[in-house]
Amino acid sequence: MATGIDYKGTYHIVTFGCQMNEHDSEVLAGMLEDMGYEPAGDLKDAGIVLLNTCCVRETAENKVFSLLGRLRRLKQEKPELIIGVGGCMAQQEGMARWIRQAFSYVDLVFGTHNTYQLPELIGKVVESRSPVQAVWPGAGSITENLPVKRKAGVRAWVTIMYGCNNFCTYCIVPYVRGRERSRRPEDILDEVAKLGREGYKEVILLGQNVNSYGKDLAGPIDFAGLLEQLEHLEQDGGIEWIRYMTSHPRDFSDRLIETIAASGKVCEYFHLPVQAGSNRILKKMTRGYTREKYLELVEKIKTAVPGATITTDIMVGFPGEEERDFHDTLDLVRQAGFDGAYTFVYNTRPGTPAAKLAGQIPEAEKKARIQELIKLQNKISLERNLEVEGSVQQVLVEGESKTGSGLLIGRNRGNKMVVFQGEKELAGQIVKVQITEAHLARLTGKLIL
Ligand code: SAH
Ligand code: SF4
Ligand code: F3S
């Protein structure tokens, strides 16, 4: 062994992509620890390196390829090292074979529907010392009670449903995550209660479109119903805050708004990806709503939940997006007054309907548009943050700010970052902070005792 370290019993997972993937990595870690593996402090010291991949945009894939390229050297130095590639990218048709051809030193490729098989697959690799591939085209039933090794933190992710049925024309997620499958409410309630007893104060319910929750279950349950049950969950120790992501604006019912407005636990935070402000483009994306419907929803939420934080995802440069369409997006952004937006340049995903559309937009034009959009949104985000100056906010304290100087960092119910002076022992608690100054990406304040 070149390093002189016994690296065989340790693992390191590198995760790309969304929170769903981050949480899947927590399950992968849980399974590895159940097998007796321990976390390696550093990738270089690990006996098993897993890449949990994303393919939503080409940039995400390129990061995986470049890391795989760098791992070649490590494998040469440590032939015993096991390298595994899982997640959304591995699930794409033909990709597993391609990865194994291009990176012949990869030992294991497994798809999103094969995650729970990890112990068995690693066993096969160790036994046979030859590459193993497991990518099922479709999902089986949900496997409950998998071990989870959560990342240290004050909030916990809980998957409530898998997959997506929407097939927005630009998006690869439904192809790599399969059809919608909801977990049974009793399994979710049990997990949340357990997390509360473990001391977590906040849970984030995960699904590609949580508003479809329950449609595939036999019982009469929907997302609003699930939130109501969680609101009244006893034995949950201290779960005080509930968040969820992501909500499809098309399915955000009045009943759901009323449920959230009446709830003490569900935070006043709404992440509602709009994608575009032009009806022509929304139609081509098959989003299922118009700009008018979307803005109506935003108004309903603002009326029912005063002070709500609303954020969004927006894409520029969808095929055929003309200057006037882009201006419709800018105009919608102004009217909605978002607290924040994740902005993306449209990226062609092979196999999706939009990849075949005429009128692909030149990269330079897309860049110019996204810059204009970001400039506008930054101005609005700052204005929205200025509105809370002087107010007192509840903040779930995460710990010390990385900048040092004894500052603590946390988030308010609206998911905004708050920085203030305080003792590090407050980590994990919900405290009151008066906001003294608003910035673009954070609020600063003073602890109220
Ligand atoms: N299920 C969630 C988000 C999934 S992906 C939802 O429906 O909102 C997260 C974001 O990535 C999307 O909201 C979209 O803005 C962006 N995205 C998806 N496909 C993309 C593509 N082909 N090019 C650029 N951005 C994309
Ligand atoms: Fe993709 Fe649309 Fe499903 Fe979101 S709702 S994951 S954007 S297909
Ligand atoms: Fe990426 Fe898969 Fe999430 S494609 S965004 S990791 S669902």
Side-chain angles (χ1 to χ4, degrees):
M1 230 177 292
T3 56
I5 300 168
D6 178 13
Y7 58 80
K8 283 191 212 129
T10 58
Y11 72 91
H12 187 87
I13 304 176
V14 185
T15 312
F16 303 83
C18 62
Q19 273 115 333
M20 306 276 291
N21 242 27
E22 290 281 352
H23 183 51
D24 287 350
S25 288
E26 294 181 331
V27 175
L28 293 172
M31 288 189 280
L32 288 169
E33 297 206 2
D34 259 22
M35 292 172 78
Y37 288 91
E38 286 173 13
D42 194 272
L43 182 144
K44 292 197 293 300
D45 304 325
I48 298 185
V49 172
L50 294 184
L51 275 52
N52 192 8
T53 63
C54 169
C55 55
V56 77
R57 282 169 289 275
E58 204 179 358
T59 41
E61 291 190 319
N62 288 342
K63 283 187 206 158
V64 174
F65 292 141
S66 107
L67 179 55
L68 278 175
R70 280 187 278 134
L71 286 173
R72 183 191 300 268
R73 270 277 289 286
L74 201 61
K75 182 81 172 185
Q76 279 167 354
E77 284 168 20
K78 304 185 348 177
E80 298 277 293
L81 173 69
I82 295 174
I83 300 175
V85 181
C88 293
M89 197 174 147
Q91 185 69 38
Q92 281 181 88
E93 214 184 315
M95 185 57 93
R97 196 148 34 93
W98 193 87
I99 290 175
R100 285 180 40 215
Q101 273 167 5
F103 307 95
S104 56
Y105 46 93
V106 167
D107 301 279
L108 170 63
V109 183
F110 58 106
T112 55
H113 307 310
N114 304 79
T115 305
Y116 76 96
Q117 289 181 304
L118 185 73
E120 181 192 327
L121 298 172
I122 295 214
K124 273 192 193 160
V125 172
V126 172
E127 219 170 275
S128 67
R129 290 311 314 179
S130 57
V132 171
Q133 177 178 319
V135 184
W136 286 342
S141 55
I142 295 174
T143 313
E144 286 294 343
N145 300 316
L146 289 174
V148 186
K149 168 72 193 308
R150 291 195 152 81
K151 270 195 188 155
V154 295
R155 53 182 65 85
W157 287 311
V158 176
T159 302
I160 63 164
M161 61 186 298
Y162 300 87
C164 179
N165 288 357
N166 287 309
F167 290 95
C168 303
T169 54
Y170 49 81
C171 185
I172 200 159
V173 171
Y175 302 90
V176 291
R177 287 277 174 172
R179 297 295 65 72
E180 288 172 359
R181 284 148 286 142
S182 303
R183 283 179 74 197
R184 296 185 319 157
E186 50 272 40
D187 291 327
I188 298 168
L189 292 166
D190 279 356
E191 188 174 351
V192 171
K194 188 167 157 269
L195 291 165
R197 290 194 298 270
E198 284 172 19
Y200 285 98
K201 292 275 190 298
E202 177 182 333
V203 289
I204 305 180
L205 310 175
L206 294 178
Q208 292 298 346
N209 175 18
V210 292
N211 302 359
S212 292
Y213 175 78
K215 282 188 185 156
D216 57 318
L217 292 175
I221 178 102
D222 60 3
F223 184 53
L226 179 70
L227 289 179
E228 270 162 12
Q229 291 194 26
L230 286 168
E231 176 79 18
H232 299 112
L233 180 66
E234 285 169 18
Q235 314 148 326
D236 71 344
I239 297 297
E240 294 184 42
W241 292 4
I242 298 171
R243 287 185 215 281
Y244 50 89
M245 47 188 349
T246 302
S247 291
H248 195 301
R250 184 198 54 213
D251 305 322
F252 216 105
S253 65
D254 290 352
R255 183 170 119 76
L256 182 56
I257 299 177
E258 283 158 26
T259 306
I260 294 171
S263 163
K265 290 185 187 169
V266 182
C267 291
E268 298 78 18
Y269 170 63
F270 296 81
H271 181 63
L272 291 171
V274 67
Q275 311 299 359
S278 147
N279 283 339
R280 216 171 59 87
I281 299 296
L282 284 169
K283 198 162 179 199
K284 284 206 211 182
M285 290 175 164
T286 62
R287 287 291 287 178
Y289 52 83
T290 59
R291 61 177 281 131
E292 291 78 17
K293 272 269 165 226
Y294 182 90
L295 286 167
E296 198 184 300
L297 174 64
V298 166
E299 278 318 307
K300 272 192 212 167
I301 290 172
K302 285 185 178 169
T303 310
V305 187
T309 295
I310 306 179
T311 59
T312 197
D313 289 355
I314 311 173
M315 201 185 298
V316 299
F318 186 83
E321 184 187 73
E322 292 175 11
E323 206 46 41
R324 63 189 164 115
D325 299 307
F326 175 59
H327 279 107
D328 281 350
T329 295
L330 294 178
D331 184 62
L332 180 136
V333 165
R334 272 185 220 106
Q335 286 194 50
F338 294 117
D339 290 87
Y342 298 92
T343 53
F344 305 101
V345 160
Y346 166 76
N347 182 237
T348 309
R349 296 289 70 205
T352 60
K356 295 183 211 82
L357 290 177
Q360 302 284 334
I361 310 293
E363 289 305 315
E365 184 57 41
K366 290 190 210 170
K367 277 220 176 85
R369 286 183 191 171
I370 199 167
Q371 274 158 12
E372 194 173 344
L373 174 64
I374 292 171
K375 201 168 138 206
L376 171 64
Q377 182 54 52
N378 283 351
K379 182 174 155 276
I380 298 169
S381 298
L382 181 59
E383 281 168 13
R384 299 281 296 146
N385 285 352
L386 284 165
E387 286 170 22
V388 296
E389 264 188 5
S391 68
V392 173
Q393 303 278 319
Q394 289 186 57
V395 174
L396 173 55
V397 185
E398 285 163 29
E400 283 181 296
S401 147
K402 286 200 181 78
T403 54
S405 58
L407 289 173
L408 295 179
I409 194 158
R411 280 175 192 274
N412 72 355
R413 286 177 65 98
N415 209 32
K416 291 190 180 177
M417 194 95 80
V418 183
V419 180
F420 58 101
Q421 202 89 41
E423 300 294 323
K424 62 172 187 279
E425 286 69 31
L426 290 175
Q429 294 190 36
I430 294 172
V431 298
K432 282 187 182 157
V433 176
Q434 178 154 42
I435 306 305
T436 49
E437 214 175 308
H439 309 269
L440 176 59
R442 66 180 200 288
L443 307 167
T444 47
K446 194 166 82 233
L447 185 66
I448 298 183
L449 295 168

